[in-house]
């Protein structure tokens, strides 16, 4: 009995051992076969086939001519303003409004176009935002100091170097370079360019109007200070100590009234403020036209997208400036090498002033404010500079007054062209910040919705 049991156990163990050995040999054989070159090649072929099956189909690259045409089309649509500006300057050089109609043309364009720009601007900016920017006195001091003192000091330094050689430049052009540095910032182009560059448009409106309000007082004082040195080029100037600026003051502040206060009244017809915490809508009370045609106002300014008229109005302002310069023969009265120098120094001025104000702004301001400062500080306005020159230099001949205005007119054309190109760089620079702001708003809305549902 015992021997039979033992015999059966030995047979079972032998069978188990044989199975284990067979299984182990089978595994080694399978491993050997899998590790063989033929099997590896087959695996690679299967993997490659699977990857090829799931890989995305490559997009066929467009032809060179199509990519070039797409780039040209993008530039034309994005920089149509710059192209139109060049065409208008070319038109003004060939055909001008008669001299007898120049004053009427200047009056209509200066007041009507500026009023259009600021009516549209005021219709798209909340009054609360404008008032908040007016209280930023440190920023006002920062911008206006650079706009008047920094730019005029650099212009005077360049003129002092040029004056070392009396035969190098026309004396009226040297005075015009100083005068350009002392002129306040422009209003119309600053507002349009800042909006295109996605900067703080409300800050630009505030700084531009403040600079133009200070200009009639500061510009004559600065010009008198820089030209009272007794240098040889100042002998072309008349006695300006008793100049009557009352007409200039009336014109400037009347224009500011049309440009700023009327648009704010018009804007307040439909502006509303959302209180996120209490989810309530409060209507801002206007002044005279508080409840007159609010629906029509919103339809015209918002749904019809009439803000595009701002760019067209600005083009008319620039055209009338060049038309007047060509009509008076200002360019033909100056040597070509002097004109080339004025063009070169205009480029240098704009570059130096822009780089300086941007570098200083980055030390303590955000990107939107920096863009607004970059347009306000280096810009100069012939809209005020031309009548200011006519009043300050009333004793000069018409040709000398035109010469004094040449640097300012040339600088304006370049500042518009450079400012238009800078909108591309500024938009790319501020794009990440705008995307983050959109994401934060979206996440805030989602959290608010989830809180209400819970």
């Amino acid at each position: 009995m015992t021997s039979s049991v033992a015999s059966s156990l030995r047979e079972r163990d032998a069978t188990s051992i044989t199975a284990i050995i067979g299984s182990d040999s089978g595994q080694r054989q399978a491993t050997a076969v899998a590790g063989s070159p033929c099997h590896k090649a087959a695996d690679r072929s299967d993997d490659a086939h699977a990857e090829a099956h799931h890989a995305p189909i490559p997009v066929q690259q467009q032809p060179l001519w199509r990519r070039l045409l797409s780039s040209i089309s993008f530039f034309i649509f994005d920089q149509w303003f710059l192209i139109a500006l060049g065409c208008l300057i070319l038109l003004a050089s060939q055909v001008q409004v008669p001299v007898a109609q120049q004053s009427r043309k200047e009056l209509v364009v200066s007041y009507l176009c500026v009023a259009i720009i600021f009516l549209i601007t005021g219709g798209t900016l909340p009054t609360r935002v404008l008032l908040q920017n007016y209280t930023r006195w440190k920023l006002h001091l920062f911008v206006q100091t650079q706009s008047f003192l920094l730019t005029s000091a650099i212009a005077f330094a360049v003129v002092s170097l040029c004056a070392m050689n009396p035969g190098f430049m026309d004396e009226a052009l040297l005075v015009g370079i100083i005068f350009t540095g002392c002129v306040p910032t422009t209003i119309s182009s600053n507002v349009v360019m800042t909006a295109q560059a996605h900067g703080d448009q409300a800050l630009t409106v505030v700084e531009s109007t403040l600079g133009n309000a200070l200009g009639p007082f500061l510009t004559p004082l600065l010009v008198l200070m820089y030209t009272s040195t007794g240098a040889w080029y100042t002998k072309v100037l008349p006695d300006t100590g008793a100049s009557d600026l009352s007409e200039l003051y009336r014109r400037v502040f009347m224009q500011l009234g049309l440009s700023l206060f009327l648009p704010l009244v018009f804007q307040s017809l439909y502006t509303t403020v959302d209180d996120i915490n209490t989810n309530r809508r409060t209507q801002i009370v206007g002044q005279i036209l508080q409840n007159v045609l609010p629906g029509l106002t919103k339809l015209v300014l918002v749904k019809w997208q009439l803000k595009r008229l701002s760019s067209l109005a600005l083009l008319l302002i620039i055209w009338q400036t060049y038309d007047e310069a060509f009509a008076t023969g200002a360019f033909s009265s100056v040597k070509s090498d002097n004109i080339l120098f004025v063009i070169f120094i205009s480029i240098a001025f704009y570059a130096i002033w822009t780089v300086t104000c941007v570098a200083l702004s980055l030390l303590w301001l955000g990107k939107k404010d920096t863009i607004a400062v970059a347009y306000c500080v280096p810009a100069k306005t012939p809209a005020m500079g031309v009548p200011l020159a006519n009043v300050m230099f009333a004793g000069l001949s018409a040709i000398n007054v035109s010469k004094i205005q040449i640097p300012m007119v040339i600088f304006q054309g370049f500042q518009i062209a450079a400012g238009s190109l800078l909108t591309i760089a500024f938009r790319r620079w501020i794009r990440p910040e705008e995307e983050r702001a959109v994401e934060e708003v979206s996440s805030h809305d989602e959290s608010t919705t989830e809180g209400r549902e819970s």
Side-chain angles (χ1 to χ4, degrees), residues 28 40 44 56 75 81 89 170 175 178 269 309 344 368 388 401-402 421 425-427:
R28 286 198 300 270
K40 288 182 179 179
R44 286 196 298 268
F75 179 81
F81 184 90
I89 293 177
D170 188 287
V175 175
I178 294 177
L269 295 176
L309 287 178
F344 169 77
K368 282 186 172 293
L388 186 59
V401 174
S402 298
L421 293 176
F426 282 139
R427 285 199 301 264

Side-chain angles (χ1 to χ4, degrees), residues 275-296:
D275 190 339
I276 298 177
N277 296 326
T278 59
N279 192 28
R280 65 186 179 182
R281 182 173 291 268
T282 305
Q283 181 73 29
I284 296 180
V285 179
Q287 295 182 9
I288 302 174
L289 302 175
Q290 178 180 2
N291 294 312
V292 178
L293 301 177
L296 180 60

Side-chain angles (χ1 to χ4, degrees), residues 131-386:
L131 295 178
Q132 287 177 352
N133 279 278
Y134 270 110
T135 60
R136 304 172 67 180
W137 63 270
K138 292 182 180 179
L139 187 55
H140 302 333
L141 186 63
F142 175 75
V143 173
Q144 302 306 327
T145 299
Q146 294 182 82
S147 182
F148 285 104
L149 299 183
L150 175 67
T151 58
S152 63
I154 294 177
F156 178 70
V158 171
V159 169
S160 299
L161 292 176
C162 296
M164 297 176 65
N165 183 5
F168 176 62
M169 286 284 290
D170 188 287
E171 61 271 19
L173 287 180
L174 293 178
V175 175
I177 293 175
I178 294 177
F179 183 74
T180 301
C182 299
V183 171
T185 187
T186 185
I187 296 179
S188 307
S189 62
N190 284 349
V191 174
V192 175
M193 296 297 178
T194 302
Q196 294 177 354
H198 298 182
D200 191 343
Q201 194 177 11
L203 179 61
T204 300
V205 172
V206 172
E207 297 301 337
S208 299
T209 52
L210 183 60
N212 278 258
L214 295 174
F217 304 99
L218 295 182
T219 298
L221 295 178
L222 290 173
V223 172
L224 183 62
M225 179 181 70
Y226 290 127
T227 57
S228 60
T229 58
W232 63 269
Y233 60 86
T234 61
K235 293 180 172 58
V236 71
L237 297 177
D239 295 332
T240 58
S243 296
D244 184 12
L245 301 178
S246 59
E247 176 62 22
L248 178 66
Y249 296 153
R250 183 194 66 81
R251 168 193 166 90
V252 168
F253 290 112
M254 179 173 144
Q255 189 172 20
L256 287 177
L258 290 174
S259 303
L260 178 62
F261 301 117
L262 181 59
L264 287 181
V265 174
F266 194 62
Q267 175 266 346
S268 63
L269 295 176
Y270 68 92
T271 304
T272 56
V273 177
D274 288 329
D275 190 339
I276 298 177
N277 296 326
T278 59
N279 192 28
R280 65 186 179 182
R281 182 173 291 268
T282 305
Q283 181 73 29
I284 296 180
V285 179
Q287 295 182 9
I288 302 174
L289 302 175
Q290 178 180 2
N291 294 312
V292 178
L293 301 177
L296 180 60
T297 304
K298 187 174 182 179
L299 175 66
V300 171
L301 292 182
V302 179
K303 293 186 178 180
W304 289 1
Q305 293 291 319
L306 285 189
K307 61 182 181 181
R308 300 180 185 275
L309 287 178
S310 298
S311 299
L312 298 177
L314 177 58
L315 286 173
L316 284 177
I317 294 175
I318 300 171
W319 164 78
Q320 75 91 14
T321 303
Y322 275 88
D323 180 83
E324 184 176 8
F326 282 110
T328 56
F331 290 105
S332 61
S333 63
V334 180
K335 296 185 296 183
S336 59
D337 57 345
N338 284 184
I339 293 292
L340 291 177
F341 178 79
V342 172
I343 294 174
F344 169 77
I345 205 64
S346 297
I347 297 174
F349 279 161
Y350 191 87
I352 294 173
W353 296 344
T354 302
V355 171
T356 301
C357 70
V358 169
L360 294 176
S361 299
L362 289 175
L363 297 176
W364 66 297
L365 294 176
K367 289 185 179 181
K368 282 186 172 293
D369 290 347
T370 300
I371 293 174
V373 173
Y375 281 106
C376 289
V377 170
K380 299 298 177 181
T381 173
M384 180 179 293
V386 170

Side-chain angles (χ1 to χ4, degrees), residues 391-423:
V391 174
M392 291 183 60
F393 310 125
L396 290 179
S397 62
I399 192 65
N400 280 332
V401 174
S402 298
K403 288 181 180 180
I404 291 176
Q405 297 173 3
I406 283 178
M408 179 177 51
V409 173
I410 292 178
F411 183 82
Q412 187 205 28
F414 180 77
Q415 81 182 11
I416 296 297
S420 181
L421 293 176
L422 281 176
T423 58

